[in-house]
């Protein structure tokens, strides 16, 4: 069934990629740049072929965490072809590149997401330079239209699907205790957690199950909406600093850390804990352990060590790793951060 949300301009449903030309035409005329990561070049070319001949150029140069060379290449290509619209196809690395270009050239973004990371919903940009990831909010980078086609996620490898789903769940967990949360964001957060935790085990058993893929992508939409509407806490601060400093895989890092941060913030996270417990079973007080156990059984990495992080890395990044500005419902000391990170390094139970 096709679902349309005119407020956020979302087209959702199997086969909705066919609506791409319509969505692009709504935004404007003229040349279009289609961006993707190298792995999604085939899909980017398919998207470009849906637009009138000669209108779209493909740049398959997006990379995780929007490094400066890929951003420079994106800006150069937009200038070269004279594009006013960028179609971001693939995971949130593609959207991140489109956003970085929009900051410099005021290009409009149409997003066709194929992971559960959620960047397509948000006005949040991220740029990485010299191992430091900066993020900010700017309405110019919020995609003006999002085309969610679950058939495009069928090829997402199972392990990536699970970790990416946990990345989405992390947005919902932190949104559930955000100081600027509302009843609507609470519903988005709980609905997103439930949808993903119900769908992911089915995806693990049968990655071709389109109904489960649709449910997972719907959950990602809800979690992305939560991320867009609330301020994130300790977990996102840790992921930004560690991911930028150690160049770690985004989804997998989120998947390893979120159970520990949920455990740390559990008293302030009754809505998230309830959604986890209702879906996975067990008491809400054990939601963090249940989340971690489910992730492990479905294929998330078990520890920071699994991501290649060493004790020396943690020492190098230092005890103020959470640094910067973030809002967290519970006070956080450098010692608390160290306890969380050393537990995650070892893959200790999140309790
Ligand atoms: P990604 O876009 O790098 O995708 C991960 C891998 O999966 C890539 O190799 C990609 O080619 C592959 N892939 C994607 N879709 C596929 C599919 N359907 N089938 C097969 N392979 C597929 O990773 P991601 O986790 O989606 O995004 C991570 C980046 O997005 C990070 O830079 C992160 O900071 C950013 N992000 C930003 C926001 C925001 O609001 N600004 C939110 C979430 C993530």
């Amino acid at each position: 069934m096709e679902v349309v949300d005119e407020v956020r301009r979302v087209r959702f449903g199997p086969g909705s990629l066919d609506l791409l030309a319509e969505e692009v035409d709504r935004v404007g005329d003229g040349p279009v740049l289609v961006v993707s990561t190298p792995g999604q070049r085939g899909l980017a070319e398919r998207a470009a072929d849906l637009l009138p001949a000669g209108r779209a150029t493909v740049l398959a140069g997006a990379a995780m965490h929007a490094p400066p060379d890929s951003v420079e290449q994106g800006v150069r290509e937009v200038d070269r072809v004279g594009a006013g619209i960028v179609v971001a196809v693939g995971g949130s690395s593609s959207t991140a590149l489109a956003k970085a270009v929009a900051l410099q050239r005021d290009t409009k973004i149409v997003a066709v997401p194929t992971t559960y990371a959620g960047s397509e919903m948000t006005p949040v940009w991220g740029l990485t330079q010299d191992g430091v990831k900066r993020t900010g909010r700017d309405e110019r980078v919020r995609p003006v239209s999002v085309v969610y086609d679950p058939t495009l996620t069928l090829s997402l490898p199972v392990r990536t699907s699970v970790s990416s789903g946990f990345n989405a769940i992390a947005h919902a967990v932190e949104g559930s205790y955000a100081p600027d949360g509302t009843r609507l964001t609470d519903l988005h957060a709980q609905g997103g957690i439930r949808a993903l935790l119900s769908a992911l085990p089915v995806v693990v058993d049968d990655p071709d199950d389109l109904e489960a893929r649709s449910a997972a992508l719907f959950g990602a939409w809800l979690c992305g909406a939560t991320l867009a509407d609330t301020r994130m806490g300790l977990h996102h601060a840790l992921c930004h600093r560690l991911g930028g400093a150690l160049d770690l895989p985004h989804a997998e890092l989120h998947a390893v850390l979120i159970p520990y941060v949920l455990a740390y913030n559990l008293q302030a996270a009754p809505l998230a804990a309830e959604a986890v417990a209702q879906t996975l079973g067990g008491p809400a007080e054990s939601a963090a352990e249940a989340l971690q156990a489910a992730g492990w059984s479905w294929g998330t990495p078990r520890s920071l060590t699994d991501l290649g992080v060493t004790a020396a890395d943690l020492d190098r990044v230092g005890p103020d790793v959470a640094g910067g500005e973030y809002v967290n419902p519970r006070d956080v000391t450098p010692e608390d951060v160290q306890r969380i990170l050393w537990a995650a390094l070892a893959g200790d139970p999140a309790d």
Side-chain angles (χ1 to χ4, degrees), residues 242 246 248 253 303-314 345:
L242 278 184
L246 305 175
L248 299 174
L253 176 59
S303 64
L304 291 179
T305 304
D306 280 0
L307 303 185
V309 179
T310 62
D313 288 330
L314 290 189
L345 186 72

Side-chain angles (χ1 to χ4, degrees), residues 217-237:
L217 195 60
F218 183 66
W221 170 10
L222 295 178
C223 292
T226 314
L227 172 66
D229 293 345
T230 55
R231 291 175 70 197
M232 296 288 105
L234 173 64
H235 172 80
H236 282 73

Side-chain angles (χ1 to χ4, degrees), residues 202-215:
V202 186
V203 168
V204 170
D205 281 348
D206 179 7
D208 292 328
D209 187 319
L210 187 56
E211 205 176 310
R213 288 291 193 175
S214 297

